[in-house]
Amino acid sequence: AVKTSEKTATVTWSEAPSATGYYVYRATEENGSYTKVGTTKTPSFTDKNLKIGTTYYYKVVSYDFVTILLFKSTQSSVAKVSM
């Protein structure tokens, strides 16, 4: 789910079982290059200082201490945000 206000988007998702936290990635094209924009321990992330008129795409990757060591994670589907 996505909520937007001027220059801000809040992305929420379902909590992953046993997740310690989540990495949040953003791109300006759905199949483009995603850059990590934050880390959160809750299933919600607010991205600030976005450009009006730009469409953003978000992916979330959950992690826990075991998957960090094994380099495995669970990736979300893409969330689209139009500012």
Side-chain angles (χ1 to χ4, degrees):
V2 178
K3 289 184 180 180
T4 61
S5 63
E6 189 171 334
K7 297 186 179 184
T8 301
T10 299
V11 182
T12 60
W13 55 90
S14 298
E15 189 171 352
S18 75
T20 301
Y22 305 89
Y23 298 125
V24 182
Y25 296 85
R26 180 182 72 206
T28 54
E29 296 179 15
E30 185 172 3
N31 295 316
S33 178
Y34 284 77
T35 301
K36 186 166 87 170
V37 292
T39 303
T40 179
K41 293 187 180 209
T42 63
S44 176
F45 178 77
T46 299
D47 200 3
K48 300 176 182 177
N49 300 316
L50 301 175
K51 293 182 183 178
I52 302 299
T54 302
T55 298
Y56 296 95
Y57 298 87
Y58 292 87
K59 289 184 180 180
V60 177
V61 178
S62 65
Y63 67 87
D64 61 37
F65 291 117
V66 173
T67 58
I68 289 171
L69 295 174
L70 298 176
F71 300 103
K72 294 181 180 179
S73 60
T74 303
Q75 181 175 305
S76 71
S77 58
V78 175
K80 179 181 177 180
V81 178
S82 296
M83 298 303 292

